[in-house]
Amino acid sequence: MFRNTALASLALSLALPLSAQAEEVVVFAAASMKNALDAVAADFQAETGHEVVISYAGSNALAKQIIEGAPADIFISAAVNWMDEVEKEGLVVEGTRADLLGNTLVLVASGTGVEPVAIDANLDLEGLLGEEKLAMALVDSVPAGQYGKAALESLGLWEGVAPSVAQADNVRAALALVASGEAPYGIVYATDAAADDNVTVVGTFPEGSHDAILYPAALLTGAADDADRAFFEALSGAQAAGHFLAEGFSVLN
């Protein structure tokens, strides 16, 4: 009896340090990263036992929350300018910021088998929309919306379609409007389009029509344990790269 009790106590004492080592990693990430980043987090959790909690939203909203004191260990933005704002506040760990991923901007249509169009100054986007709406993320604050507006302006198409734009809080919400048929067309990232079988990519915006789409990532000063740094480093690893490439991102770091 004593021997069995002693063995049970020994087993418990050995297990406690392992459970005590498990930490929580809080990540604030651009909504367009959800499919790929969920897969990266699942791998990390399975391998380390640490928990990864990810908050997805527009980069603008996430940056403002971080600046206002929201507890986050890692920030991945879909645009350089919002990471700049967080860094200006002294909230980025020096030497950790890096451009992690790249993306492309596409025009999507609701449904399948929709004919492709050439996206240039001759595109009759007004005609395609008719009396209906063009879904976009918030054009003055969310990166996907900002890129989309800039691209339309550079092609001379913005003024004609501006009254028809239905703005959504983030790019995934804009995608949902098109996927559900509430809007016949929308402007999203290529990675978002690949995540939903209910939309068709009908064209890709020329690279020169907007700034390069970059996803800077950084460890934040609120990060308090080794798990935070370990997950941040895992984002640049080969296993993570596989998930990012599978969803259509270009891997930069």
Side-chain angles (χ1 to χ4, degrees):
M1 179 69 176
F2 175 78
R3 183 173 181 273
N4 290 339
T5 302
L7 289 173
S9 298
L10 177 60
L12 180 61
S13 67
L14 290 173
L16 284 174
L18 293 176
S19 60
Q21 290 172 10
E23 301 288 350
E24 181 180 84
V25 182
V26 180
V27 182
F28 279 22
S32 53
M33 298 188 68
K34 180 170 175 52
N35 293 58
L37 194 56
D38 279 352
V40 175
D43 285 348
F44 181 79
Q45 290 176 150
E47 292 170 4
T48 67
H50 300 307
E51 182 182 7
V52 181
V53 178
I54 308 175
S55 178
Y56 294 106
S59 299
N60 59 314
L62 295 173
K64 290 175 182 177
Q65 290 171 24
I66 292 168
I67 291 169
E68 290 170 2
D73 303 313
I74 295 168
F75 180 38
I76 313 174
S77 173
V80 171
N81 61 321
W82 289 112
M83 183 63 80
D84 288 344
E85 293 301 313
V86 173
E87 191 167 27
K88 286 176 186 176
E89 296 296 322
L91 298 175
V92 169
V93 174
E94 187 175 353
T96 64
R97 176 176 175 173
D99 290 334
L100 183 68
L101 304 169
N103 213 333
T104 53
L105 196 68
V106 298
L107 180 68
V108 292
S110 183
T112 59
V114 183
E115 290 296 316
V117 298
I119 299 184
D120 55 28
N122 297 316
L123 174 63
D124 183 14
L125 190 52
E126 288 181 74
L128 288 177
L129 294 173
E131 299 298 319
E132 299 189 81
K133 297 294 184 180
L134 175 68
M136 297 178 66
L138 294 169
V139 299
D140 291 326
S141 56
V142 176
Q146 293 175 314
Y147 291 127
K149 180 181 178 181
L152 292 174
E153 286 179 332
S154 73
L155 297 172
L157 304 176
W158 173 250
E159 287 190 12
V161 301
S164 300
V165 172
Q167 298 188 54
D169 286 341
N170 58 67
V171 68
R172 283 300 174 98
L175 177 70
L177 291 175
V178 183
S180 66
E182 294 183 56
Y185 290 91
I187 298 176
V188 299
Y189 298 127
T191 52
D192 298 302
D196 199 314
D197 293 334
N198 296 309
V199 302
T200 300
V201 175
V202 294
T204 300
F205 285 87
E207 288 185 8
S209 65
H210 56 82
D211 290 340
I213 301 172
L214 300 174
Y215 287 67
L219 194 67
L220 301 178
T221 54
D225 53 61
D226 291 340
D228 301 328
R229 186 171 293 276
F231 184 68
F232 183 71
E233 292 174 354
L235 292 171
S236 300
Q239 195 168 12
H243 290 302
F244 291 133
L245 291 170
E247 293 296 328
F249 289 98
S250 56
V251 175
L252 306 178
N253 187 43

